[in-house]
């Protein structure tokens, strides 16, 4: 392999993590919930129709369409949200995808990066990457334990980057 090909070869990341918001329900659970909403609405519509309040049927149908539409929109938007943290080539990159699918990326110097986990009484801790007076929050979707795990893993990866262990087989006893 030539030198030009070596430079173009992608470097294996020392750390790579993707965080996403917690999905409170499965697709099957969402279908069951929609079925229950439709069933309850149909029962109430039949009751109001029997009592002579038939105009309520249109509003009940509109309500079902609105609830189902909002559930689907929430699911679709939350499926797109993600945050990827990668340590590779001396750069610590934080790439975020918002609910519309737009991506923003921030690259930090990995050598100077620090992981700061700040406890907040009564709330989930705040996890930040700090580099030379700048800081960025990461893991906003995560709970307390997951943030602590991410902080430990990223801290170990940054230490391994700053203090590499070289193994030379010729120097072994």
């Amino acid at each position: 392999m030539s030198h030009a090909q070596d430079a173009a070869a992608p470097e294996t990341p020392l750390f790579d993590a993707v965080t996403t918001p917690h999905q409170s329900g499965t697709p099957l659970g969402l279908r069951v919930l929609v079925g229950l909403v439709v069933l309850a609405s149909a029962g109430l519509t039949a009751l109001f129709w029997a009592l002579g309040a038939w105009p309520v049927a249109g509003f009940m149908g509109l309500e079902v369409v609105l609830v189902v539409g909002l559930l689907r929109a929430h699911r679709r938007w939350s499926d797109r949200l993600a945050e990827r943290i990668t340590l590779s080539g001396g750069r610590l990159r934080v790439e975020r995808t918002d609910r519309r699918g737009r991506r923003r990326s921030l690259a930090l110097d990995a050598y100077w990066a620090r992981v700061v986990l700040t406890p907040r009484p009564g709330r989930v801790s705040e996890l930040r990457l700090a580099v030379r007076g700048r800081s960025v929050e990461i893991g906003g979707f995560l709970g307390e334990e997951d943030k602590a795990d991410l902080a430990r893993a990223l801290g170990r990866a940054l230490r391994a980057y700053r203090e590499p262990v070289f193994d030379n087989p010729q120097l072994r006893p």
Side-chain angles (χ1 to χ4, degrees):
M1 190 184 300
S2 72
H3 180 68
Q5 288 174 333
D6 286 340
E11 186 175 329
T12 304
L14 296 173
F15 181 83
D16 192 12
V18 177
T19 63
T20 57
H22 175 72
Q23 294 291 338
S24 59
T26 64
L28 175 63
L30 184 62
R31 284 194 292 272
V32 168
L33 181 62
V34 167
L36 290 173
V37 167
V38 168
L39 188 64
S41 179
L44 288 172
T45 300
L47 174 68
F48 282 114
W49 195 286
L51 294 174
W54 57 267
V56 172
F59 292 108
M60 296 295 279
L62 184 62
E63 184 177 274
V64 168
V65 169
L66 183 65
V67 167
V68 171
L70 288 174
L71 284 171
R72 290 188 67 202
H74 172 70
R75 182 74 178 191
R76 186 174 62 244
W77 288 341
S78 64
D79 279 347
R80 291 181 187 160
L81 289 172
E83 179 179 65
R84 183 178 197 140
I85 304 159
T86 308
L87 173 59
S88 177
R91 305 300 286 169
L92 186 58
R93 183 172 303 279
V94 178
E95 184 178 298
R96 292 192 173 119
T97 306
D98 68 10
R99 67 179 64 160
R100 292 184 179 172
R102 295 179 301 209
R103 291 189 177 169
R104 290 184 318 182
S105 185
L106 174 69
L108 306 167
D109 185 359
Y111 190 81
W112 298 105
R114 289 185 347 264
V115 179
V116 180
L117 183 63
T118 308
R120 298 186 298 186
R123 296 175 25 202
V124 176
S125 298
E126 182 180 58
L127 181 59
R128 298 186 81 75
L129 289 174
V131 178
R132 296 184 178 181
R134 289 177 47 193
S135 73
V136 61
E137 184 176 4
I138 59 171
F141 307 125
L142 303 177
E144 193 69 41
E145 288 180 28
D146 292 332
K147 279 189 182 185
D149 289 343
L150 178 61
R152 279 190 297 272
L154 186 52
R156 281 193 304 268
L158 286 170
R159 272 190 305 283
Y161 168 71
R162 285 187 211 113
E163 303 163 5
V165 176
F166 297 102
D167 182 24
N168 186 341
Q170 296 173 349
L171 297 178
R172 289 187 199 151

